[in-house]
Amino acid sequence: MRLWIFSGLVLAGCAGSQGYMAEENAGLGPGVPAVAVQPIDPPWLQAEQQRRAARGRQDVSALLVDQPAPYQIGQGDILTIVVWDHPELGAGAPAAQAQSAPPSAAGAGVPSAGFVVDHDGLVQFPYAGTLRLAGLTEEQARALLAERLARYLSQPVLTLRVQAYRSQRIYIDGEVKEPGLQAINDLPMTLVEALNRAGGALPSADQSRLLLERGAQRYPLNLPLLMQQGVNPARILLRHGDVLHVPSRDESKVFISGEVVAPRALTMHNGRLTLNEAMGEAGGLTPQGDGRQVFVVRRVGGEPRVFQLDARAPGALAMAEAFELEPRDVVYVAATRLANWHRNISQIFPGALSSAVGAAR
């Protein structure tokens, strides 16, 4: 009977069996679960790849927009309204300024100081009275104001545009150059535009694990996978109140330990790292490592799962390359029986084994 313990997990199995089945763990105290070990073989890998492909299909249909709608005026926006040939209607434009302006400027009217859309979405304008402009585009607001002014002015010509965009914002944080609030303006706030305004993603960003929060909904976004599936990230439109989080690659590390040359924590490459790549980055097995006992410990739904690869089996390299690790996986390579026996003897009788070898020589 052999036992392996990984962070409180106990694996028990009998020599010669193809998998190590879980057994009752009576002697190690309560709360230490025993788990079954899933062998990594071609049939299981094929089924796992199909499951991963099904999980990898991202449903971003609710986020995709082919033709973004024009910007709609909102509460807090500041508008610039100029009525041609009527500079006296400009907000805060003194008469002296209008008289001293060049003819071209006087003909178009002196630019106003701005009209603020109040919390009710209303704007007050001379002769036109109180207008509800919130929810209208610039073109619609211009037409409504011209209709009101036509009661007092003959064929009024005016210019209306948003001077300051303050009603709609998104928030972007994480591994970007300039995290913080980004105002939505007349340019559509797509996912690509949001990242660009934040200065772009840093080299430490994990672009495979972006998270978009919209109210109570959370949308995980894998940019490399979206592009592989033919989905243009520029079609993903962000809305007012959205929060975009760009995580660090350090949050999705894989840990490799045991009988490997260089035990370490490995960062995934845009969310992808195979077991073969992990073993290669760790320098491979030490002479004391047992290639038949390469384990991967993973938590699935709060429960531990353990997978075993026999690296000495035919086609083991192909299976290791096909086995994709997930964030926070633990790869562990067990020692051979001889190495374990040597270590146990050395702990019980320090120096005894070396003395015996010296005496034999």
Side-chain angles (χ1 to χ4, degrees), residues 289-345:
D290 188 349
R292 298 169 299 180
Q293 301 181 44
V294 179
F295 297 98
V296 178
V297 183
R298 174 181 302 167
R299 283 199 170 273
V300 180
E303 296 295 329
R305 292 193 63 187
V306 181
F307 309 91
Q308 180 194 2
L309 174 69
D310 183 355
R312 296 184 179 182
L317 289 179
M319 290 188 290
E321 182 62 26
F323 186 92
E324 295 194 20
L325 298 171
E326 296 184 1
R328 318 306 292 182
D329 276 357
V330 177
V331 180
Y332 179 83
V333 180
T336 61
R337 292 182 180 180
L338 181 60
N340 284 327
W341 177 80
H342 179 277
R343 290 168 183 169
N344 291 334
I345 292 297

Side-chain angles (χ1 to χ4, degrees), residues 157-170:
V157 178
L158 56 93
T159 299
L160 184 149
R161 62 183 180 85
V162 180
Q163 174 180 320
Y165 298 88
R166 305 193 306 177
S167 63
Q168 304 180 45
R169 298 179 179 181
I170 67 159

Side-chain angles (χ1 to χ4, degrees), residues 21-35:
M21 303 305 296
E23 294 186 356
E24 188 73 27
N25 180 25
L28 294 175
V32 182
V35 296

Side-chain angles (χ1 to χ4, degrees), residues 63-288:
L63 307 176
L64 297 179
V65 175
D66 291 325
Q67 186 63 36
Y71 179 84
Q72 295 182 345
I73 298 171
Q75 302 171 2
D77 285 344
I78 300 179
L79 307 179
T80 294
I81 303 176
V82 176
V83 182
W84 293 21
D85 297 325
H86 293 277
E88 72 279 1
L89 299 182
Q97 184 178 359
Q99 294 175 358
S100 61
S104 59
V110 179
S112 66
F115 295 84
V116 180
V117 182
D118 66 16
H119 63 281
D120 291 325
L122 305 176
V123 171
Q124 291 183 345
F125 194 82
Y127 297 114
T130 301
L131 304 172
R132 182 176 298 278
L133 300 184
L136 303 181
T137 65
E138 290 183 351
E139 182 179 356
Q140 293 171 337
R142 188 184 306 114
L144 177 60
L145 181 57
E147 179 184 352
R148 290 288 188 89
L149 291 178
R151 302 173 184 175
Y152 307 96
L153 304 177
S154 175
Q155 298 181 345
V157 178
L158 56 93
T159 299
L160 184 149
R161 62 183 180 85
V162 180
Q163 174 180 320
Y165 298 88
R166 305 193 306 177
S167 63
Q168 304 180 45
R169 298 179 179 181
I170 67 159
Y171 184 79
I172 181 170
D173 70 345
E175 299 300 305
V176 291
K177 188 175 181 180
E178 299 177 0
L181 289 171
Q182 297 291 337
I184 298 178
N185 54 23
D186 55 332
L187 294 178
M189 182 62 78
T190 64
L191 178 61
V192 175
E193 179 68 16
L195 292 173
N196 182 62
R197 292 191 192 181
L202 298 176
S204 58
D206 186 355
Q207 299 188 38
S208 68
R209 298 177 61 242
L210 302 184
L211 182 62
L212 176 62
E213 297 188 20
R214 174 173 295 173
Q217 298 291 327
R218 307 183 75 184
Y219 299 92
L221 301 174
N222 186 330
L223 283 188
L225 185 59
L226 283 175
M227 300 186 69
Q228 290 179 9
Q229 296 174 347
V231 179
N232 186 355
R235 294 178 55 204
I236 298 178
L237 187 67
L238 275 61
R239 300 177 181 174
H240 172 58
D242 284 354
V243 178
L244 180 63
H245 177 65
V246 183
S248 171
R249 291 197 303 160
D250 291 339
E251 298 178 16
S252 56
K253 285 186 175 181
V254 169
F255 306 93
I256 182 166
S257 61
E259 297 301 325
V260 291
V261 175
R264 64 181 64 185
L266 304 174
T267 55
M268 306 186 77
H269 311 294
N270 281 331
R272 187 179 184 277
L273 184 69
T274 66
L275 179 57
N276 191 39
E277 292 171 336
M279 295 295 296
E281 292 191 30
L285 277 64
T286 65
Q288 294 79 25

